[in-house]
Amino acid sequence: MRFPEAYWRAVLRRPDDDQPRLRLADWLDFDDPDRAEFIRLQCQLHWTSAHPELVGDLDNRERELLAQHELDWVGDLEQHVDYWVFQRGFVEEIALSFDSYFQHADAILAEHPIRELHLRGLRNRTPYLARAEEMLRYHSLDLSENLLRDQGVQVLARSPYLGNLRRLNLSSTGLGDDGLRALAESPHLGRLRELYLCDNRISQAGLSAFLNSPLRSRLAKISLRYNDLDAKSVGLLQESLGSAVWV
């Protein structure tokens, strides 16, 4: 179903704000009451998720509505992605191959307020992401299990279009000390709060650069499991970051 342009542009322009979504739900009350209910319900669930005692009936109704309408609401997106997740009434999270993303990103982003992106099969095409202005739409980027190596991570770290990321997953990407140093020194990751670097080649040299960078103080969570860190390095990391570090 196509939404009125003014309502939809407001949703895309203010993705963190529930009000444009709720105004769209009001417009949908007559033409698509189930979708209107679903938008309101998921907005409510978003804010009550920390209170399990308030979730029960809402959660059950959410599942009922998705069972009836999910494929209709997803539309053509089903053909291009591995999976999708609805948040606050709309698809906000998708996983897909780079080839599918490259071919269909414009259409997907015109139809869905995507905020979380999982990409596979990236290979040597990180320069494309680094130059893609639409990356500013995402607050979470998962490139795990793509063999980026340090060179690919350095390319990403220089991109101004990663400036809205809050979560970045680079686990199992072949990243080493030079890659971590590039992330630590990047002027474009000021909003990053979670960084996942499991199963890589990071050693004491890269860790030292990270611990002496502004990025260290901004992170609420960093995961460095299965790297080349000795007990002393792990101790320094835990002393500096406390419960924010996972090793």
Side-chain angles (χ1 to χ4, degrees):
M1 179 179 191
R2 300 295 298 183
F3 304 124
E5 188 70 14
Y7 286 89
W8 185 236
R9 285 190 177 278
V11 170
L12 296 179
R13 191 170 57 250
R14 295 158 55 190
D16 292 323
D17 188 352
D18 284 351
Q19 291 308 309
R21 299 174 188 233
L22 295 175
R23 281 194 287 272
L24 180 52
D26 291 341
W27 182 85
L28 287 167
D29 271 331
F30 294 103
D31 292 326
D32 193 347
D34 281 355
R35 188 67 188 273
E37 179 188 1
F38 182 71
I39 294 170
R40 295 189 184 102
L41 184 153
Q42 280 212 320
C43 286
Q44 187 175 357
L45 276 170
H46 179 76
W47 297 112
T48 59
S49 59
H51 304 280
E53 70 280 3
L54 303 177
V55 169
D57 290 341
L58 297 176
D59 195 45
N60 291 335
R61 182 56 178 158
E62 176 191 40
R63 287 197 293 269
E64 289 175 0
L65 289 167
L66 283 173
Q68 295 173 37
H69 302 291
E70 184 169 11
L71 293 183
D72 290 335
W73 294 341
V74 168
D76 292 341
L77 183 67
E78 181 192 9
Q79 304 171 29
H80 309 308
V81 305
D82 301 330
Y83 68 82
W84 60 82
V85 179
F86 278 88
Q87 297 286 345
R88 295 185 298 139
F90 301 92
V91 175
E92 286 200 351
E93 179 179 355
I94 56 172
L96 70 170
S97 70
F98 175 82
D99 290 339
S100 186
Y101 180 80
F102 181 80
Q103 295 175 42
H104 304 291
D106 289 344
I108 290 172
L109 294 174
E111 297 290 334
H112 306 278
I114 307 299
R115 312 296 307 289
E116 302 187 38
L117 180 66
H118 307 257
L119 283 180
R120 57 177 173 81
L122 186 58
R123 295 189 288 278
N124 60 348
R125 294 174 289 188
T126 49
Y128 172 84
L129 293 186
R131 295 191 300 267
E133 188 173 353
E134 79 267 12
M135 299 303 292
L136 286 167
R137 292 183 55 161
Y138 306 127
H139 66 66
S140 179
L141 178 62
D142 176 10
L143 301 178
S144 61
E145 300 186 24
N146 288 282
L147 193 57
L148 307 181
R149 303 188 186 277
D150 286 337
Q151 297 93 325
V153 174
Q154 288 167 334
V155 169
L156 291 173
R158 291 194 292 269
S159 173
Y161 300 127
L162 301 188
N164 287 328
L165 287 183
R166 301 168 194 170
R167 185 187 305 113
L168 178 60
N169 189 346
L170 296 173
S171 297
S172 304
T173 56
L175 178 150
D177 293 336
D178 289 341
L180 180 55
R181 189 174 294 109
L183 294 173
E185 295 174 355
S186 173
H188 306 300
L189 297 175
R191 296 189 176 185
L192 195 66
R193 297 297 177 266
E194 297 182 21
L195 182 59
Y196 299 88
L197 303 173
C198 303
D199 190 26
N200 280 304
R201 301 178 294 106
I202 297 166
S203 71
Q204 175 62 38
L207 184 62
S208 295
F210 166 74
L211 289 174
N212 291 313
S213 73
L215 180 60
R216 176 196 62 79
S217 61
R218 293 197 299 266
L219 291 181
K221 183 181 297 182
I222 181 170
S223 185
L224 286 161
R225 294 173 177 173
Y226 310 116
N227 278 278
D228 297 328
L229 299 174
D230 57 23
K232 181 179 179 181
S233 300
V234 170
L236 287 172
L237 192 60
Q238 292 175 327
E239 181 181 341
S240 175
L241 291 170
S243 61
V245 63
W246 295 4
V247 290

